[in-house]
Structures are given as structure tokens and as C-alpha cells.
Amino acid sequence: MADFIYGLDFGTSTTLMAIPTDGMPRIIPIGRDNNWMPSVVSISRDNSILVGDLATDQNHVDQIRSPKTAITNEIFGNLRAPNGREVDADKAILSILLEAKKSADENGLDPDGMVRMSCPAMWTGEQRLRLANLANLAGINTNVDAFLDEPIGACVAWWWNNFYKRGRKTSDRILVFDLGGGTLDIAVADIYGETTPEITVLAARGISIAGDSLDLKLADYFESRLISEFAIDISNREDYSILRNLVIRASRKIKETLSVFQNAIYELEDPDYSFLPKIEISQTDLEMVYRPDLDRAINCVKTTIRETFFKNMNRNSEEMSVFAKIPIEEIAKDIHFVVLAGGMSQIPIIKEELRKILPDAISEHVTEAHEATEAIVKGVANRNEFSDLNIHRPNFNFFINWKDDHQVIRSEIIYPAFKPLYEDYELFSGNFLLGHKMQWMPPRNIRGGRAEIYLESVGGRRTTMNIDGRSTQHIPIRISRGKNIMFSIYLDGKIMITHEDGLISLRVREWPYIRWQAGKVPSNQIYIENIGSESQIDVRDKSWLYYDH
């Protein structure tokens, strides 16, 4: 049985909820006319906040759409509606989560039950924690350490959809293309297993350019057509902010229409602006406007695929420079399925561009094409979920501990959870030492020359390491004033620590997804191999800092 009551997908454009069943999860309709609730808030004249469908009923100038992007773009101040009224970003997000919690209670779900949530794969630990804290404030019993990356949710939903609806148990390498309102998430994963899927995420990347970005570009295109064809420049009007918002709303509808039909008519929904001419726009026009964003999306796909090729290689720089020039189509030939998720993935040109990279891969939607918006929450709420999951980078913080002159234990993060191990340009430059590298300068108030490296989840839980069969929560090292500690995590799982006693060389074959349950210890450990350390690793059950006097 699952240890959660329901899954919650707080999306940029929509918010969805689903409950586990013995088969595929069941969507709980929380919208007035749809299964989903719009992720929209509106601000009235008395500064009260309406949410979801009630918010979309209000005048468009009162509405704030996509408040989730405040987390993606790290906005901590106010969000502004077209009418000029403002609301704190966290308050806007909290209002939507409170409405979701109200829907859960009205559907008879256990108010104290665990809830699993999703988030973009590109989010940092701090961004994940921000959403978790807001959800907790809303009364949602969730835990940041239980968050599931959106493309991983798509992997789970796709595997089980094949099992239940098609009677097909699939063991394949897939590429997930999850394009929603605020972010694009790409993941390459191996899925195998007989009774439940085992998933190894080989690589995952993302960019904060998605549906909202296209809406703005389509609005610019409409305005340019007004100027070039009718000599109308609406940017000079006093009510431009209101008019611009109407154009963006019309752009959103045009985008959706052109995902199905060849042509559509651009017209604003407000009768006060009926004097503006209607403009016909075609799929070709949409593709032209989308081309810059599409190119960035395809580059993200290529980078993610190329990482899978480099990840398990241990080559010298000359060889890696040669491998960096291998055509992406050659590297991608082992990918058998392209799995599409998110409402924006419906745009026809996306399939065409992906087919150029992956000509032999079968393109499928996570579940059904008309359910694209529901795909992630079905993975997040899946009772069967997965028997094992390995991810592409550490989902926990690496800390260093030391004692100061007053024998007080101090800590500092030397690798923050979910931090990318490399920049895109490094991958294409043939750099064979792809990884997170840093120097740590011991403070002047150290005592005893001793320190320890330990792992801790974003939610503050210690993670156990198993080094060559022996469990520990600490890697002891020696430090001295004025001498830097070198700490590196590489793409192939190597961990290199240079300290006072020499070099510690370790390797993690796979970074496991650490699953936490209320009142229980972690369900798995980090298995680490000692690959020739110069200095001895003193594995003890208890930190030497605590009993070293």
C-alpha cells in the first residue's frame, strides 16, 4: 500500500489532484468545468483574493496567472496584476494550495494523510523546500524529501499505462519531453522490471522557457502585424497594460487552437476593443514565432542525450574531444520511445523536430493525447509507483562539520542538493572532467584539525552511506588552517576529496532516490565504492567529533 493519500500537481497553468487505486490513479475533478483547477488568482478592489475558476471569472485586469513561476524565477516580492494591484508571491501560491486542500477535504480524503507532490527536475533544493513549506502552511501534509520530479512522474505513468491499457510490459530507454506552461523538463531514463518498474534516470535537464514564453512572443507577433498591416500601434495607448493583457490571453487560445487546426482567427474577447481588426494566423506563423524557443528546447534535448553518452566514460581529454563531435543521432539510437507530457507538447512541429534527432524512436503520449495535462499527477499518485529509482545527480546536500575554538560543531554546505554538475558549454567542449568542483577554506577558528563530511536531505534528515559494506554517516578528514580542501563530484559518480592526510577516492555507481516515510528510517542507503584512496577512511557508527575531547 502507498504511504500517501493523494498526489498533487501544482502546475504553472493548472493544478490537479489524483488518488491511488489498484490500477491507474483516478483524477479528482477540482475544476468547475475541467478536471483541473486553473492556477490563477485575482485581486479585488478590497484586496481580497479569489482562486481558480472564480479568479478566471473576474475581469482580466484583476488576474495573476502562473504564480508558480515566482519559485522558478526566484521572485520573493510581489506579483502585479494588470490593474496595478499587487500580492505577495508566496501568498498567491498559498491561496491556490489552500483551495486544493479544501477540495481534498470536500472529497473525503484523510486531512492528516501524506500527500506526494511534484516539481520541475530543474528546481534546486531551496526551490523545492519553498513549495513544501507553503504546502505545509496550507495544511497539506507533504514532505520535500518525498517530492517526485515531473519527468520521473511521467516515466511512472507511462510504464503503468502500457501495463494496464495495452497489456505491454516495457523495458526500454525513453526520452521524456515534458513541456508545460512554465518549464521544459527533459529526461532520459532506462525502465525495466516485471512486476513494478525499475527506473534509472541517466540524465535530466530543464529550461524555464515554455508555454508562457510562447504566449508573450505571440502577443508581440500580433502587435507587429497590427503595425505592419493596419498602421495601428497599441503600445502608445494609455490603456496599453490592459490591452496587452487581452492580447496575451488571446495568444494563449490561439496557441491551443493551432495545436489542432491549421488556421485560427486572432480576436480579443473584450467588446470594448472590437474596433481592432481580426487577424488570421496559421500553424506556419505559430512555428515561425516559436522557432527561437523551439531551438532552445531542442538544444536542451541534445544536451540531455549527450550527457547519457558521457556519464559512464572514463577517458582522457583527447578521446573525449573526439567523442564530443559524434553526431547526436548516433548517440540517440538507443532511445526507443519519446514520451510526450504537458499541454504544450501537442504542438505538431515539436514531434517533427524530435523525429529528426530520434528517427527510429516511437513517439507516444504518457497516457492519451487528450490527457496530456493529467500525465504528471497520474505518475505522482501511482500506488504501484516503482520498485527502485536511481537519479542523475545527488538529491541531498553534502556538508562539512568541524569544531571551532569553543568546541562548538559548525557546518557548511559544500555541495547543495540538485545542483547541476556541469554547464552546457562544458559538455560540448570535450571537457572530460565534468563535475561540481570547489575549494573549501577552513576557518581560522578550527580546533583539533578534524572534520567530517556527511550527507543530509533537503528536509534535514541524515543519509546513511555504505562504504565497501560498512555503514556510516560520516567521512572523516583532517584539516588545518590555511590549507584548502578540494571537493569534487563528477558526472560518472566519482567523489574526490583532497585533505590534510591525502586523497580520498570514492565512486557512487547510481544516485538513489531516498524515500522517506513518516516515523521510519530511509528505505535505502548510498552505496559507495572505495576506488583507491590514499588516506584511510575511518568508518565508525558515531561521529568522532562528538567523542573527540
Side-chain angles (χ1 to χ4, degrees):
M1 295 290 288
D3 62 345
F4 57 93
I5 302 300
Y6 62 91
L8 179 62
D9 176 24
F10 168 52
T12 303
S13 303
T14 58
T15 297
L16 295 104
M17 186 181 300
I19 58 174
T21 69
D22 290 334
M24 286 293 284
R26 177 170 63 85
I27 299 290
I28 300 177
I30 60 174
R32 183 174 55 204
D33 303 314
N34 301 283
N35 286 339
W36 42 265
M37 176 179 70
S39 297
V40 180
V41 299
S42 70
I43 312 171
S44 64
R45 287 181 175 83
D46 63 358
N47 287 324
S48 61
I49 297 177
L50 296 175
V51 177
D53 290 303
L54 290 178
T56 60
D57 290 341
Q58 308 309 304
N59 192 300
H60 67 94
V61 300
D62 299 328
Q63 297 176 23
I64 294 177
R65 292 182 173 268
S66 309
K68 179 183 176 181
T69 57
I71 298 180
T72 303
N73 298 325
E74 298 186 325
I75 298 170
F76 295 93
N78 289 345
L79 303 177
R80 175 174 292 188
N83 61 17
R85 299 190 190 101
E86 296 183 342
V87 63
D88 178 77
D90 283 357
K91 186 176 181 180
I93 294 169
L94 178 61
S95 299
I96 294 174
L97 296 174
L98 283 166
E99 189 66 21
K101 177 64 165 62
K102 178 183 175 184
S103 297
D105 294 345
E106 290 173 349
N107 278 276
L109 301 180
D110 182 357
D112 299 320
M114 283 291 295
V115 179
R116 186 159 71 183
M117 297 183 67
S118 59
C119 71
M122 64 179 289
W123 273 14
T124 64
E126 289 82 0
Q127 289 169 318
R128 294 160 192 258
L129 190 58
R130 181 179 175 187
L131 177 58
N133 288 340
L134 290 170
N136 292 154
L137 282 175
I140 297 171
N141 184 15
T142 193
N143 190 303
V144 65
D145 294 332
F147 275 27
L148 198 62
D149 287 1
E150 289 166 2
I152 295 174
C155 288
V156 173
W158 178 79
W159 196 95
W160 282 108
N161 184 60
N162 274 295
F163 177 78
Y164 284 112
K165 292 189 176 180
R166 302 170 186 169
R168 183 178 77 190
K169 293 183 180 179
T170 304
S171 296
D172 279 297
R173 179 165 294 181
I174 72 171
L175 181 140
V176 176
F177 187 95
D178 177 20
L179 185 58
T183 58
L184 166 67
D185 278 318
I186 307 293
V188 177
D190 285 337
I191 303 184
Y192 39 90
E194 288 297 321
T195 56
T196 56
E198 298 178 31
I199 303 172
T200 294
V201 180
L202 302 173
R205 298 188 73 75
I207 54 176
S208 57
I209 296 179
D212 289 352
S213 173
L214 178 56
D215 295 341
L216 297 177
K217 287 181 169 59
L218 282 170
D220 293 340
Y221 174 74
F222 176 73
E223 291 189 35
S224 68
R225 288 274 299 269
L226 286 178
I227 293 173
S228 62
E229 297 176 22
F230 303 97
I232 299 175
D233 185 355
I234 63 174
S235 65
N236 294 323
R237 294 176 58 96
E238 291 183 0
D239 58 353
Y240 175 65
S241 62
I242 295 174
L243 190 49
R244 172 70 175 182
N245 189 56
L246 282 171
V247 173
I248 293 172
R249 290 167 65 89
S251 299
R252 190 174 295 114
K253 292 182 178 180
I254 284 285
K255 173 187 67 182
E256 295 168 356
T257 302
L258 292 177
S259 296
V260 180
F261 300 102
Q262 291 292 323
N263 297 280
I265 300 297
Y266 232 124
E267 59 180 323
L268 307 189
E269 60 186 24
D270 193 322
D272 291 342
Y273 296 95
S274 59
F275 63 89
L276 286 175
K278 299 176 182 179
I279 294 178
E280 184 175 359
I281 181 173
S282 66
Q283 270 192 6
T284 302
D285 296 324
L286 173 67
E287 292 169 4
M288 177 194 67
V289 173
Y290 184 47
R291 174 53 62 180
D293 283 358
L294 179 59
D295 288 344
R296 290 196 62 180
I298 295 302
N299 283 336
C300 186
V301 171
K302 291 179 178 179
T303 304
T304 308
I305 292 173
R306 195 169 290 275
E307 179 178 325
T308 68
F309 185 68
F310 277 63
K311 188 171 183 178
N312 296 317
M313 287 194 152
N314 184 16
R315 307 279 186 172
N316 60 43
S317 58
E318 183 177 346
E319 289 176 312
M320 293 298 274
S321 296
V322 173
F323 292 144
K325 299 174 183 177
I326 294 177
I328 196 69
E329 296 78 10
E330 178 68 19
I331 300 172
K333 65 183 181 181
D334 291 334
I335 297 173
H336 302 121
F337 289 92
V338 174
V339 177
L340 301 172
M344 275 282 291
S345 65
Q346 307 291 309
I347 297 177
I349 194 174
I350 289 175
K351 289 184 180 179
E352 295 174 15
E353 291 297 317
L354 290 173
R355 194 175 296 116
K356 293 177 182 178
I357 304 172
L358 302 138
D360 299 324
I362 299 171
S363 181
E364 295 186 347
H365 290 276
V366 172
T367 51
E368 307 299 332
H370 66 278
E371 299 174 342
T373 306
E374 303 173 2
I376 303 303
V377 77
K378 286 185 175 179
V380 172
N382 205 298
R383 169 174 288 163
N384 301 285
E385 48 177 61
F386 43 83
S387 59
D388 194 17
L389 171 61
N390 296 309
I391 54 179
H392 60 293
R393 62 187 177 193
N395 65 339
F396 36 78
N397 300 306
F398 281 75
F399 278 86
I400 188 166
N401 260 1
W402 73 94
K403 273 186 178 179
D404 65 17
D405 289 337
H406 302 288
Q407 300 192 38
V408 176
I409 295 178
R410 306 293 185 182
S411 297
E412 187 174 326
I413 293 177
I414 55 176
Y415 168 83
F418 301 100
K419 180 178 176 61
L421 299 179
Y422 66 90
E423 301 294 337
D424 288 0
Y425 75 88
E426 294 181 287
L427 192 66
F428 288 90
S429 68
N431 184 348
F432 73 108
L433 291 176
L434 291 173
H436 166 83
K437 298 175 280 290
M438 66 92 65
Q439 296 184 41
W440 183 77
M441 172 67 77
R444 295 180 61 83
N445 62 347
I446 64 170
R447 176 187 180 273
R450 291 184 172 184
E452 291 175 335
I453 291 175
Y454 68 93
L455 314 181
E456 187 175 283
S457 71
V458 175
R461 297 174 176 85
R462 289 289 183 95
T463 299
T464 301
M465 294 172 276
N466 187 306
I467 301 178
D468 291 342
R470 300 180 65 188
S471 294
T472 182
Q473 289 192 339
H474 311 274
I475 299 175
I477 62 174
R478 292 188 179 276
I479 59 178
S480 61
R481 293 184 180 91
K483 188 171 183 179
N484 290 352
I485 300 297
M486 301 296 297
F487 177 83
S488 303
I489 303 176
Y490 293 102
L491 192 59
D492 62 358
K494 288 180 183 176
I495 302 174
M496 312 291 283
I497 307 166
T498 304
H499 67 122
E500 186 72 12
D501 284 350
L503 175 67
I504 294 176
S505 302
L506 308 169
R507 172 174 283 171
V508 177
R509 292 295 180 182
E510 303 289 352
W511 296 107
Y513 171 74
I514 302 296
R515 282 179 274 185
W516 302 93
Q517 299 178 8
K520 297 183 180 180
V521 298
S523 60
N524 47 1
Q525 301 182 65
I526 311 300
Y527 287 91
I528 301 176
E529 176 188 6
N530 189 337
I531 56 173
S533 300
E534 297 174 1
S535 60
Q536 183 179 1
I537 302 175
D538 185 7
V539 177
R540 303 185 186 187
D541 293 333
K542 188 176 181 182
S543 166
W544 67 358
L545 292 182
Y546 288 90
Y547 59 75
D548 174 37
H549 298 292

